[in-house]
Amino acid sequence: MVKLWEKAGLPAGVLNLLQGGRETGEALSSQSGLDGVLFTGSSATGFHLHRQLAGQPQKMLALEMGGNNPLIVDDPQDIDAAVHLTIQSAFVTAGQRCTCARRLLVKRGSIGDAFLQRLVEVSGRIVPDAWNAQPQPFIGGLISAAAAERVYQAWQALVEQGGTTLLAPRLVKPGTSLLTPGIVELTEAHDIADEEVFGPLLGVWRYDDFAQAIHLANATRYGLSCGLISPDRELFDRLLLESASRDRQLE
Ligand SMILES: NC(=O)c1ccc[n+]([C@@H]2O[C@H](COP(=O)([O-])OP(=O)(O)OC[C@H]3O[C@@H](n4cnc5c(N)ncnc54)[C@H](O)[C@@H]3O)[C@@H](O)[C@H]2O)c1
Ligand SMILES: N[C@@H](CCC=O)C(=O)O
């Protein structure tokens, strides 16, 4: 991309690409000559930068961080379409998008049961593979083997806290970052931490009425995104007014 900018006439040196991890980021953000920082990354790093640049109003700071995003599924008419949307939302790029659904809120009842059953069945067929594998896989690996291991451990921790596994995630090849999607029901579990797990792991909560769904959806310290799958237009209008998410992505 930097090469294309230069090709388009941007003088060399105006835009620089520097790759690195925590040390590189810290070295950049502690430069005294900075006019501002536009940051995209995790909430933990964002909070750190916020503290680091506090009390310096001459420096602009814009933070785009993570979320613990709810997706409400309220009696969909077309179950396969709802399953398709949910899988796209939760598992695309192996769950490594800030806007991925992390908390799936499903209305109690036979339609919700059928939806969940189909979701688990279809998600169970997703097998991650290398980027150049044939046939092309729907998802590849996580950013690193350590990240895949962290997501796997997060699932184990949820089970220890009372979660019921609907679909167990699986490390496809030990030592690689290939992890299959996991789905765990948490309706009866207690004290589940409001943390973003950045990978293909989806928690499920059941609810009785839409007021309860909104209450559950808003029970997060994060903003970011919130989704709704429903045939009822009025529910979208209501969610737009009552959702606590700052940028509301309604599906
Ligand atoms: N809101 C958005 O638009 C958006 C978009 C994409 C990703 N995200 C979020 O990004 C996260 C995943 O990305 P990640 O794993 O690269 O995030 P990260 O916070 O771990 O790392 C991001 C970058 O921050 C730098 N960094 C790390 N520690 C630092 C420190 N102490 N001081 C200064 N810089 C430091 C590193 O250079 C690293 O490349 C997820 O939480 C995801 O939700 C948000
Ligand atoms: N806006 C992007 C996600 C950015 C964060 O990872 C998307 O939803 O595709």
Side-chain angles (χ1 to χ4, degrees):
M1 204 171 80
V2 174
K3 280 185 187 147
L4 288 176
W5 273 104
E6 284 181 2
K7 234 174 163 178
L10 196 72
V14 171
L15 178 65
N16 299 288
L17 174 69
L18 193 58
Q19 290 178 313
R22 183 178 177 156
E23 280 182 8
T24 309
E26 278 180 332
L28 280 173
S29 62
S30 50
Q31 296 284 314
S32 58
L34 280 184
D35 290 324
V37 175
L38 310 184
F39 170 78
T40 301
S42 66
S43 293
T45 306
F47 281 118
H48 176 81
L49 288 169
H50 191 251
R51 278 194 297 270
Q52 193 184 357
L53 297 180
Q56 302 177 72
Q58 73 281 15
K59 293 183 182 172
M60 185 178 65
L61 176 63
L63 302 170
E64 292 195 329
M65 305 186 287
N68 194 11
N69 311 309
L71 172 59
I72 304 172
V73 180
D74 198 278
D75 282 354
Q77 275 169 349
D78 183 339
I79 286 184
D80 276 349
V83 165
H84 179 86
L85 272 176
T86 304
I87 286 177
Q88 285 287 350
S89 180
F91 301 138
V92 70
T93 53
Q96 296 166 114
R97 288 203 199 182
C98 56
T99 43
C100 276
R102 310 283 176 207
R103 296 181 296 133
L104 187 65
L105 313 178
V106 183
K107 192 171 180 180
R108 278 202 176 90
S110 58
I111 298 176
D113 293 346
F115 161 78
L116 265 183
Q117 191 183 348
R118 183 84 174 127
L119 175 69
V120 170
E121 182 190 324
V122 178
S123 304
R125 289 193 219 141
I126 297 173
V127 182
D129 207 339
W131 64 272
N132 56 354
Q134 290 297 336
Q136 287 194 343
F138 170 57
I139 56 173
L142 276 82
I143 188 75
S144 65
E149 185 61 42
R150 272 198 299 277
V151 175
Y152 188 80
Q153 284 172 8
W155 162 65
Q156 289 178 318
L158 289 175
V159 172
E160 277 166 26
Q161 283 177 273
T164 304
T165 300
L166 303 181
L167 179 65
R170 190 167 48 85
L171 288 159
V172 178
K173 290 179 201 154
T176 73
S177 63
L178 300 177
L179 180 71
T180 64
I183 304 177
V184 53
E185 170 147 14
L186 296 164
T187 313
E188 303 301 330
H190 297 287
D191 302 322
I192 300 300
D194 178 24
E195 294 294 345
E196 176 191 53
V197 177
F198 204 58
L201 183 63
L202 185 63
V204 176
W205 282 260
R206 305 298 295 266
Y207 67 86
D208 292 307
D209 58 45
F210 200 63
Q212 193 191 357
I214 292 180
H215 179 75
L216 285 167
N218 286 345
T220 174
R221 69 197 161 108
Y222 299 95
L224 219 55
S225 72
C226 173
L228 169 63
I229 298 174
S230 165
D232 186 348
R233 168 70 209 225
E234 276 182 24
L235 297 188
F236 285 82
D237 293 337
R238 194 172 154 194
L239 189 65
L240 270 172
L241 293 174
E242 297 181 33
S243 166
S245 295
R246 254 166 281 141
D247 98 54
R248 294 161 186 146
Q249 303 203 340
L250 297 182
E251 293 163 332

